[in-house]
Amino acid sequence: MTDSKYFTTTKKGEIFELKAELNSDKKEKKKEAVKKVIASMTVGKDVSALFTDVVNCMQTENLELKKLVYLYLMNYAKSQSDTAIISVNTFVKDCEDSNPLIRALAVRTMGCIRVDKITEYLCEPLRKCLKDEDPYVRKTAAVCVAKMHDINAQLVEDQGFLDLLKDLLSDSNPMVVANAVAAISEILETSPTAQQSLEMNIGTINKLLTALNECSEWGQVFILDAISNYNPKDDKEAQSICERVTPRLAHANAAVVLSAVKVIMKLMEMLDPHSDYITMLVKKLSPPLVTLLSAEPEIQYVALRNINLIVQKRSDILKAEMKVFFVKYNDPIYVKLEKLDIMIRLTNQGNIAQVLAELKEYATEVDVDFVRKSVRAIGRCAIKVEQAAERCVSTLLDLIQTKVNYVVQEAIVVIKDIFRKYPNKYESIIATLCENLDTLDEPEARASMIWIIGEYAERIDNADELLESFLEGFQDENTQVQLQLLTAIVKLFLKRPTDTQELVQQVLSLATQDSDNPDLRDRGYIYWRLLSTDPAAAKEVVLAEKPLISEETDLLEPTLLDELICHISSLASVYHKPPNAFVEGKASLRRSLPPRSQSDSMDAQPASSLESPTSNVSSAPQATVIPGADSLIGDLLDMDLGGPTPFQQQQMYQQMPQQSQPQQSGVVDFLGGEGLDSLLGGGGGMDSLGGLGDIFGAASSNSYVPPAEVWLPASKGKGLEINGTFARKNGQIFMELTFTNKAMQPMVGFAIQFNRNSFGLTPASPLQVQSPLIPNSSASASLQLNTSGQIQKMDPLLMVQVAVKNSIDVFYFSSMIPQHVLFTEDGEMDKKEFLASWKEIPTTNEVQYVITDVQHNADTVSQKLRNNNIFTIAKRNVEGQDMLYQSLKLTNGIKVLAELKIAPGNPNFTVNNTTPVCDTLHLSMKCRVLDIYTGIQTAYDTILHN
C-alpha cells in the first residue's frame, strides 16, 4: 500500500494519539507517526504542538525518518524559534556523520531554518562542510552559504564564508563549481558590499571555463551567466573567452544556447567590428538561433523575444534567414505576431518582394489580430524600404478593395504614415480612401482619415462636407477623433476661409463650450485666439511643414537595448523591460555592454568633425531625430565655432579698455551678427554691486553649497581652466564659475550655452567675465540660471552639458547639478494635502535607503533640511522615536513626500514609511516619478553630512 493512506484519515483528536506514537519505543511506529504528522502538515493542519516530540525523533540512524523530521523542522522552526534551538546539537553531530548523504541533508536543512538565534551556532558545521572530502556535501554547503547570507549577511561576511565560497570556484568537481557560482551570483544580487570579496578575475574565469564542459545544463547556465558579468581587460582576452564559449552554441538545451549567445553578444562589443573574427562569430550565431525555432511553441516564443533584441542590435546575424520567420498555419498567435515583428526588422531591398507576398497572404487569414498586424506590417515595409513603397501602396489598395472592414481600417491608418514619409507622391489614392468613409468605426482609423482630409483639403473638392459629416456626432466621438477633427477643420479654414467660416465656428464652439475634456478645450482656445488675433501666425503654426517620420518607430531606446542584451535568456529579455521594472525591491546594479577597446574606439574621431558641424549635413531631407543624451554636441553647435586670428586678438587686446566690465561697442562680435544677447537671451549679468548684493542687501541663504570642482582642465581647454559649483541663493539657481588663464595669450569674448537637459536649465543672462583675462590670472563669475530652456531627459538625470566660447576656441564639458539646488521655496504642503497625496501614490512607487553617521537631533535635522527647501510639515513621537513628515518640490513641479524617523541616541536615522524598524533605519520616499529618487537620496545624505 502506498503512502496515500496517510492523507485519507478524518479522525479528530489525533494530536494526542500522535504524541504517544512519537514517543513510542518501536522504530516502525515512530516512523509511521512522523509520516502522519507530515501528511497533516501538507494538507494544512496545524501540528506545531508536536514540535518537541518530532524533534526528539532526530536522533536516529534511519535516513528516511531523519529526512521527514528535517522537513517538519524547516516548516515550523520559525514559529517555534525558542524550542528549535534544541536541534542544534543534532545538526552539529549530523555534519560529522560518516554518511555523506546525512552530512549534506544536515547542511541543507541548516540553510532553510530562518531563525537568527540558531544561525550563529551553525557557522562551524557549515565551515567543515565547505571543506568536506565529499563533493556532494561541498556543493550543498555552497548553496547554504547563499541562504545564510540572506538571513544574516553581516555574520557570513565576518566569518569569512565569502572567501571559502570563492575557493570552491577552484574545486576539482564541476558541480561544486557550478553551485559556488550560483551562490555567488545570488549574494552579489542582494549585497553590493560583497562585490570586492567576490570580484572575478581572468584566473577565476579560466577555472569556470574549464568546469563548463563537464557541468550539467543547470550548472552551465549559471557559469555562463557569471562569465557574462565579467568585463575583459582587452580585446584579446575577450576573443579568448569567445573561443571557449562558442562550442556551447551547439548544446541541445535552449537555456545553455541563449546564455552562450548572451556572453558572445556582450564580448563582441569589445572586438574590432571590421575584423574577420567578428564575421566568423556572426556566422556561428545564426544556426543555433534558427534551431531554437523548431522547438515547442513556448520555447519558440522565448527564443523569438530574445532574437528580437539580437536583431535590433545586430541585424546582420540573421539577415539571410528570413524564411525561418515565415508563419506556419499551426503556429499559436503569440508566435505569429512575434515572427511578424522580426520579419519587418530583417526586411531590406533584397527580400522585400518575398516579404510582401507573404504579408499579402497573411492578410487573408481568419485571425483578426494577426490580419491587422500583417496590414500594418505592409505599411512599415513601405516606410522602411523606399524603393518598394509603390508596390506596398498598390498591395494596400488591393486589400482595401476586399471591403473587409478591419482590413480597410488598418490600411487607412498605415497609409496616413506613408503620406507623412513620402509627401506629394501617393496622394492620388485619396479618392479611393474617401469611398470607404462610411465603414470606419474604430477611433484610430477615423482619426487617420480625418487627418488625411484636413492635410490634403485643397485636393478634395467636398472636404467640408466630409468633415461636417463627422461633426454631427462630435460629442460621441473618442477624444483622439475629436482632437483630430478640430485640427482638420482649422486646417481646412486656413486653406479655404471663405466657405468654411461657419464650420470652424461650430467646431470651436463644440470644443470650448460643450466639452469637459481639458485637452480638447485648451486646443480649441489656442486655435480660437490664434485665428482671431493673427491669422498669418495661425497659418504658420497649423500648416507648418511636418518632420519626416522615422523608419523604425518601435525600436528600443539604445541604452535600454544594451541593458537587455546583458539579460538575454532571462525574464527581462521576454518582457523587454529591465529587471527592476517588474521585480519588486530589485535594486541591483544596472548592467551595460563593455566599451570597445581603444584601438577601434570612436575616440579616434578627427577633431575636424567637431570644428565643422555643418560639413556633414546632407542636402536631402532628413528625419527629425532627437539628439542622444550621450552627445556633447546636440544643440550646442548652434554657436559660431570660428575664433579670431592671432592678429585680431592682438588688435583687440590693444583696443580693449583695462576694466572689469566688458564694453560691447568697439569689440568684434564672435558669435555672429545677432550678438551674444540674442544668442543667449538678453539681460545683464551681475547686480549693481558687482555681485556683492548678498553682503549689502538681503541676507544670504544657509543652503549647502558644494565645493568647487574642475569642470574643464587647462589641458583640454587650450590653457583655459574652469572651476565651478552650483548654489541656490534668494530663490534663484546660480552657477559659480572661476576662469583661470594658463595660456600664453590673453582671452576675451567669453560666452556660454547649455545643451537641452532634464530640468530645462539655461542661462538667465549673458556670461560676464573680466576681459581681457590676461595670462596667469583668474576671474570669477556668478551666472544666474532659469528653468525655461528646452527639456531632454539625460542619463544621468542631473547631467548638464555646457559649451564655453572665448577668443581661442569653443570648449565642451559636462557637470552634475546637485539635486538640492532644484528644490523650490514653495514646496511646503499643508497636512491634508500631504495625507491625501501619500494615499494616492501607490506603494510600488516607494523606495528606501539607509543614511548613517548623522549626529543631529530632530530639531537640528528639521532646520538643516528647511534651509535647503525640504519642509517639515508635522512632527510626532512614537515609542521614543521622533517622526518628521516632510515634503519638497522640484523646479519642474514634481513633489516628493517623505517620513523621517529618528531614534534618540542612535547615530543613524531614516526617512521611513510604514515598516517598524529597530536599529536599522531607512530613507523611504514616495513620488509619482521614479527616476529622481537617487538624486534626492544623495541630497539628503549630502545636506546632513555637511
Side-chain angles (χ1 to χ4, degrees):
M1 191 174 175
T2 64
D3 286 346
S4 61
K5 63 182 180 182
Y6 299 110
F7 295 91
T8 55
T9 177
T10 54
K11 283 169 63 180
K12 293 184 179 178
E14 60 182 340
I15 295 288
F16 181 76
E17 290 177 21
L18 286 171
K19 197 176 185 76
E21 288 176 20
L22 288 168
N23 291 305
S24 169
D25 294 332
K26 295 178 181 176
K27 290 180 182 178
E28 278 305 312
K29 204 167 187 181
K30 194 180 281 190
K31 189 164 80 171
E32 289 290 308
V34 174
K35 284 186 177 181
K36 289 176 187 175
V37 171
I38 298 296
S40 299
M41 181 181 83
T42 307
V43 296
K45 290 181 183 175
D46 182 15
V47 285
S48 57
L50 299 170
F51 189 85
T52 310
D53 305 288
V54 175
V55 169
N56 286 336
C57 297
M58 283 174 75
Q59 305 287 348
T60 177
E61 297 297 319
N62 187 305
L63 185 59
E64 186 185 4
L65 179 57
K66 198 175 279 287
K67 281 183 180 178
L68 292 168
V69 174
Y70 278 171
L71 186 63
Y72 177 89
L73 195 59
M74 281 189 266
N75 200 51
Y76 283 112
K78 197 159 190 178
S79 60
Q80 302 280 336
S81 55
D82 293 330
T83 322
I85 206 156
I86 64 175
S87 63
V88 169
N89 286 336
T90 309
F91 280 130
V92 174
K93 186 181 170 187
D94 282 355
C95 283
E96 295 175 359
D97 196 277
S98 58
N99 186 342
L101 289 175
I102 290 180
R103 297 202 297 274
L105 183 63
V107 80
R108 180 187 290 120
T109 311
M110 276 161 44
C112 296
I113 296 176
R114 306 180 63 82
V115 178
D116 287 332
K117 289 179 184 177
I118 294 180
T119 306
E120 56 192 59
Y121 293 108
L122 304 179
C123 290
E124 208 49 49
L126 179 58
R127 197 188 313 278
K128 286 179 183 174
C129 289
L130 284 166
K131 297 176 181 177
D132 197 279
E133 59 184 21
D134 192 282
Y136 183 74
V137 179
R138 294 199 299 276
K139 84 180 184 72
T140 309
V143 177
C144 186
V145 173
K147 290 179 178 177
M148 195 177 281
H149 187 275
D150 191 39
I151 300 165
N152 191 335
Q154 195 61 48
L155 178 69
V156 169
E157 290 171 25
D158 292 345
Q159 291 284 335
F161 284 126
L162 296 184
D163 293 328
L164 290 171
L165 196 57
K166 197 173 179 184
D167 291 343
L168 290 182
L169 294 176
S170 309
D171 199 277
S172 57
N173 187 289
M175 278 313 297
V176 176
V177 176
N179 277 30
V181 168
I184 287 171
S185 302
E186 184 71 28
I187 290 169
L188 288 177
E189 284 285 322
T190 55
S191 172
T193 56
Q195 185 77 40
Q196 220 167 359
S197 308
L198 300 173
E199 193 175 0
M200 296 279 183
N201 54 43
I202 188 59
T204 312
I205 293 296
N206 281 329
K207 289 170 188 171
L208 297 184
L209 287 165
T210 304
L212 191 60
N213 300 322
E214 301 170 43
C215 278
S216 67
E217 292 139 339
W218 180 88
Q220 288 183 41
V221 169
F222 268 113
I223 288 175
L224 288 167
D225 282 351
I227 294 169
S228 74
N229 292 331
Y230 172 70
N231 284 338
K233 292 186 178 64
D234 53 40
D235 50 356
K236 286 183 181 175
E237 198 176 293
Q239 187 169 329
S240 169
I241 295 172
C242 278
E243 285 170 357
R244 296 179 69 179
V245 168
T246 306
R248 298 299 103 204
L249 294 172
H251 203 283
N253 185 287
V256 176
V257 173
L258 283 175
S259 294
V261 169
K262 170 169 62 179
V263 175
I264 294 168
M265 284 290 292
K266 195 171 177 183
L267 295 178
M268 281 170 79
E269 289 298 303
M270 294 190 67
L271 305 174
D272 178 4
H274 307 296
S275 68
D276 292 339
Y277 189 68
I278 284 284
T279 310
M280 185 267 286
L281 280 179
V282 165
K283 284 181 182 174
K284 283 192 173 181
L285 282 171
S286 176
L289 292 172
V290 170
T291 304
L292 292 176
L293 300 181
S294 57
E296 299 85 357
E298 294 79 11
I299 292 177
Q300 276 190 58
Y301 179 72
V302 171
L304 287 165
R305 291 295 282 174
N306 282 274
I307 288 169
N308 201 324
L309 296 175
I310 293 164
V311 166
Q312 287 185 56
K313 188 70 184 171
R314 292 182 178 273
S315 58
D316 51 338
I317 290 175
L318 290 160
K319 65 182 179 185
E321 303 292 346
M322 174 63 85
K323 282 191 175 180
V324 300
F325 298 105
F326 285 174
V327 171
K328 297 174 186 170
Y329 76 96
N330 59 347
D331 280 339
I333 182 64
Y334 54 86
V335 171
K336 285 180 177 179
L337 295 178
E338 206 57 42
K339 280 185 174 180
L340 203 55
D341 204 28
I342 294 168
M343 277 171 64
I344 304 305
R345 298 201 193 286
L346 294 174
T347 300
N348 55 42
Q349 197 176 342
N351 58 26
I352 185 70
Q354 206 177 12
V355 172
L356 267 182
E358 277 288 312
L359 293 176
K360 192 172 181 182
E361 194 70 31
Y362 300 161
T364 60
E365 289 270 346
V366 291
D367 193 310
V368 176
D369 286 339
F370 182 54
V371 171
R372 286 175 181 279
K373 188 113 182 207
S374 302
V375 175
R376 200 161 285 212
I378 295 170
R380 283 173 63 188
C381 286
I383 291 165
K384 187 173 181 181
V385 186
E386 186 173 350
Q387 296 82 349
E390 194 165 336
R391 196 185 302 173
C392 293
V393 171
S394 173
T395 304
L396 288 169
L397 284 175
D398 290 345
L399 291 172
I400 287 173
Q401 297 305 329
T402 63
K403 301 293 181 183
V404 177
N405 186 279
Y406 52 86
V407 174
V408 172
Q409 304 203 71
E410 284 297 329
I412 286 172
V413 171
V414 295
I415 285 171
K416 178 204 70 173
D417 291 337
I418 294 170
F419 284 169
R420 282 280 305 275
K421 178 71 175 176
Y422 309 110
N424 304 315
K425 204 168 180 182
Y426 301 110
E427 284 77 5
S428 56
I429 67 170
I430 290 174
T432 310
L433 302 182
C434 291
E435 290 170 11
N436 295 279
L437 210 57
D438 298 335
T439 64
L440 305 181
D441 54 16
E442 291 173 11
E444 192 177 6
R446 289 172 75 83
S448 298
M449 193 66 226
I450 291 166
W451 181 88
I452 292 168
I453 296 169
E455 189 66 19
Y456 302 102
E458 68 278 11
R459 305 182 188 206
I460 305 170
D461 295 335
N462 62 336
D464 52 341
E465 293 173 17
L466 295 175
L467 291 176
E468 196 171 2
S469 68
F470 283 104
L471 204 58
E472 289 166 6
F474 185 80
Q475 300 293 3
D476 301 324
E477 294 283 7
N478 182 280
T479 304
Q480 180 184 5
V481 179
Q482 290 178 333
L483 287 166
Q484 202 59 261
L485 191 54
L486 172 61
T487 303
I489 291 175
V490 170
K491 284 180 184 176
L492 176 65
F493 172 72
L494 291 169
K495 290 173 181 178
R496 289 160 46 183
T498 49
D499 54 344
T500 56
Q501 194 164 346
E502 191 178 326
L503 188 63
V504 80
Q505 284 178 340
Q506 188 183 349
V507 76
L508 287 172
S509 174
L510 285 168
T512 55
Q513 293 169 23
D514 300 345
S515 172
D516 55 1
N517 184 310
D519 292 338
L520 184 63
R521 207 165 50 233
D522 289 351
R523 189 183 289 194
Y525 279 127
I526 289 169
Y527 285 153
W528 202 322
R529 284 167 189 160
L530 267 174
L531 293 169
S532 59
T533 54
D534 191 349
K539 207 163 190 172
E540 284 182 32
V541 172
V542 180
L543 302 180
E545 192 174 334
K546 288 157 192 63
L548 298 179
I549 63 171
S550 167
E551 291 178 3
E552 295 276 10
T553 53
D554 59 343
L555 286 175
L556 290 170
E557 192 265 327
T559 52
L560 174 60
L561 178 60
D562 286 353
E563 186 178 356
L564 292 176
I565 291 291
C566 299
H567 288 290
I568 283 176
S569 81
S570 73
L571 203 55
S573 66
V574 178
Y575 285 161
H576 287 189
K577 292 179 181 178
N580 56 9
F582 59 87
V583 180
E584 195 173 339
K586 184 82 171 172
S588 58
L589 290 173
R590 189 173 167 186
R591 296 185 189 177
S592 59
L593 294 175
R596 188 154 286 147
S597 59
Q598 291 298 318
S599 57
D600 46 76
S601 169
M602 287 299 286
D603 294 343
Q605 184 180 356
S608 59
S609 65
L610 296 181
E611 289 166 7
S612 179
T614 56
S615 61
N616 296 326
V617 177
S618 167
S619 58
Q622 296 291 321
T624 302
V625 179
I626 297 171
D630 55 345
S631 166
L632 272 175
I633 315 299
D635 53 0
L636 297 178
L637 290 179
D638 292 344
M639 301 178 77
D640 178 8
L641 303 183
T645 64
F647 174 73
Q648 285 175 316
Q649 288 180 28
Q650 188 180 359
Q651 279 197 321
M652 284 158 23
Y653 183 55
Q654 291 166 354
Q655 294 170 7
M656 185 70 65
Q658 301 294 314
Q659 60 185 39
S660 61
Q661 290 294 333
Q663 200 159 323
Q664 297 300 326
S665 59
V667 180
V668 178
D669 184 359
F670 303 114
L671 293 173
E674 293 295 317
L676 181 61
D677 287 349
S678 69
L679 175 71
L680 300 173
M686 296 187 185
D687 51 47
S688 57
L689 297 171
L692 301 175
D694 286 352
I695 298 173
F696 298 108
S700 63
S701 166
N702 291 323
S703 67
Y704 170 66
V705 180
E709 298 172 354
V710 177
W711 285 337
L712 181 72
S715 58
K716 291 187 178 177
K718 297 184 181 178
L720 173 66
E721 181 177 285
I722 302 176
N723 293 271
T725 185
F726 293 86
R728 191 172 186 88
K729 298 184 286 191
N730 302 322
Q732 300 295 329
I733 303 169
F734 287 83
M735 192 180 194
E736 306 291 350
L737 297 144
T738 302
F739 297 87
T740 305
N741 184 358
K742 296 186 178 180
M744 303 298 290
Q745 64 200 50
M747 297 177 181
V748 293
F750 284 86
I752 192 167
Q753 188 165 337
F754 284 29
N755 200 350
R756 302 173 188 180
N757 52 74
S758 305
F759 293 88
L761 285 177
T762 189
S765 59
L767 176 65
Q768 301 282 3
V769 182
Q770 170 187 314
S771 192
L773 185 61
I774 59 175
N776 298 316
S777 67
S778 296
S780 296
S782 185
L783 179 68
Q784 185 178 330
L785 308 177
N786 61 36
T787 53
S788 60
Q790 290 184 303
I791 292 173
Q792 174 181 305
K793 186 179 176 184
M794 304 298 285
D795 187 10
L797 193 71
L798 296 170
M799 181 168 69
V800 176
Q801 298 169 336
V802 184
V804 170
K805 182 186 185 307
N806 64 12
S807 52
I808 293 176
D809 205 344
V810 176
F811 307 103
Y812 302 97
F813 62 88
S814 61
S815 58
M816 301 297 289
I817 325 157
Q819 182 89 63
H820 70 274
V821 303
L822 300 168
F823 299 168
T824 62
E825 285 66 24
D826 62 344
E828 189 169 4
M829 291 182 176
D830 63 49
K831 293 180 184 178
K832 287 182 181 177
E833 184 190 359
F834 180 95
L835 192 61
S837 300
W838 185 274
K839 288 177 181 176
E840 283 174 10
I841 300 172
T843 52
T844 50
N845 282 29
E846 186 180 330
V847 294
Q848 296 186 350
Y849 301 91
V850 176
I851 300 177
T852 57
D853 303 323
V854 179
Q855 303 296 332
H856 292 290
N857 60 30
D859 292 332
T860 55
V861 163
S862 182
Q863 187 56 49
K864 210 169 176 61
L865 294 171
R866 179 172 280 274
N867 289 343
N868 292 275
N869 296 333
I870 300 175
F871 300 96
T872 300
I873 294 158
K875 174 185 171 184
R876 65 191 179 105
N877 191 284
V878 180
E879 297 178 351
Q881 295 186 346
D882 287 315
M883 312 279 281
L884 305 181
Y885 299 90
Q886 299 181 318
S887 69
L888 63 93
K889 182 180 172 185
L890 297 176
T891 52
N892 56 6
I894 293 172
K895 294 180 179 179
V896 182
L897 317 180
E899 183 186 87
L900 191 62
K901 185 189 292 181
I902 309 171
N906 191 329
N908 304 339
F909 77 92
T910 168
V911 184
N912 193 8
N913 173 18
T914 52
T915 310
V917 183
C918 301
D919 299 321
T920 307
L921 303 167
H922 303 275
L923 163 57
S924 171
M925 293 171 283
K926 270 195 173 184
C927 178
R928 296 191 185 279
V929 181
L930 305 181
D931 294 337
I932 61 171
Y933 282 141
T934 305
I936 291 175
Q937 181 262 333
T938 306
Y940 264 94
D941 206 56
T942 305
I943 292 164
L944 293 165
H945 285 99
N946 292 282

